[in-house]
Amino acid sequence: MKKICLLTAAASVFALNANAMDWSMGNQYFRPYIGADYVYSYAKHGAIAKNAKKDYNSWMVNVGTDIARYTSIEAFFQQTGERKSHAREQQTKSEFYAWGLDLYGRIPVMCSGFNLLGSLGAADYNVKYKFRPTDRSMDKQRVGYRAGAGFSYDFNNNVSFRVMGRYTYIGMPNLNNLMEVTAGLRYTF
């Protein structure tokens, strides 16, 4: 029974586009997509959070659409895990989440399926800190501005792989900026 369910699920994935809806709405470039990424972030902390861990591993989900031949717009949500650090007598826990919007431009590299990418965007960052033994905590929120470069590889018309390097300026005393590397998959409808 389990094998039949597995085979049915596999067949439905391959047939996903067989009766796909026309998403174009009259625009030949309108192609929505969804994606998931792994994100490595390096944070520049300051002020009382200067002893917080600087590296974060997180995940990101995104949804976007092509809006022109070589241009797309994408909304995303990113969440990190909590990081603990110890310095002298103080323990610091830190984490953040972000949501925002990015505009992507791409340049195809010959007919190979590779594309060079550039992005500009803005995101709302919410950073949380907890300090021990004082039991002090902080929850700060601020808009950060993002710029990135990378590449993507299109396996076929629907599935692609993307790698991006990104710099984000947040400008808080406790978190000035982030440098990130993301890698993930996209499925275009």
Side-chain angles (χ1 to χ4, degrees), residues 17 58 77 84 109 163 173:
N17 282 333
S58 60
F77 178 80
K84 295 178 187 177
V109 179
V163 174

Side-chain angles (χ1 to χ4, degrees), residues 19-133:
N19 290 322
M21 187 174 166
D22 179 18
W23 290 89
S24 67
M25 292 186 269
N27 180 351
Q28 66 180 356
Y29 300 116
F30 184 79
R31 296 186 61 209
Y33 62 87
I34 58 172
D37 291 331
Y38 162 77
V39 183
Y40 172 79
S41 303
Y42 184 82
K44 183 177 179 188
H45 295 288
I48 64 170
K50 66 183 175 198
N51 294 326
K53 287 272 190 182
K54 301 197 181 320
D55 58 329
Y56 295 88
N57 295 299
S58 60
W59 55 269
M60 182 187 327
V61 293
N62 44 58
V63 57
T65 184
D66 291 346
I67 56 175
R69 186 171 186 168
Y70 299 116
T71 309
S72 59
I73 193 164
E74 179 178 292
F76 71 91
F77 178 80
Q78 176 182 352
Q79 174 74 51
T80 68
E82 186 176 77
R83 298 286 292 159
K84 295 178 187 177
S85 62
H86 301 279
R88 297 183 206 117
E89 301 291 320
Q90 183 177 349
Q91 177 187 17
T92 305
K93 295 180 182 178
S94 60
E95 65 181 312
F96 72 88
Y97 69 86
W99 59 272
L101 197 63
D102 288 328
L103 181 67
Y104 284 87
R106 71 179 166 275
I107 301 171
V109 179
M110 298 184 284
C111 296
S112 63
F114 280 99
N115 299 291
L116 298 178
L117 303 172
S119 71
L120 292 173
D124 182 37
Y125 286 85
N126 189 312
V127 184
K128 296 178 183 182
Y129 296 102
K130 293 178 187 172
F131 304 98
R132 301 260 189 261

Side-chain angles (χ1 to χ4, degrees), residues 32-38 60-64 74 76 104 117 152-164 166 182-189:
Y33 62 87
I34 58 172
D37 291 331
Y38 162 77
M60 182 187 327
V61 293
N62 44 58
V63 57
E74 179 178 292
F76 71 91
Y104 284 87
L117 303 172
S152 68
Y153 179 74
D154 300 329
F155 294 109
N156 57 37
N157 247 1
N158 300 98
V159 179
S160 64
F161 174 74
R162 181 172 80 183
V163 174
M164 292 287 294
R166 187 175 285 114
T182 67
L185 293 173
R186 305 278 167 286
Y187 182 83
T188 304
F189 296 95

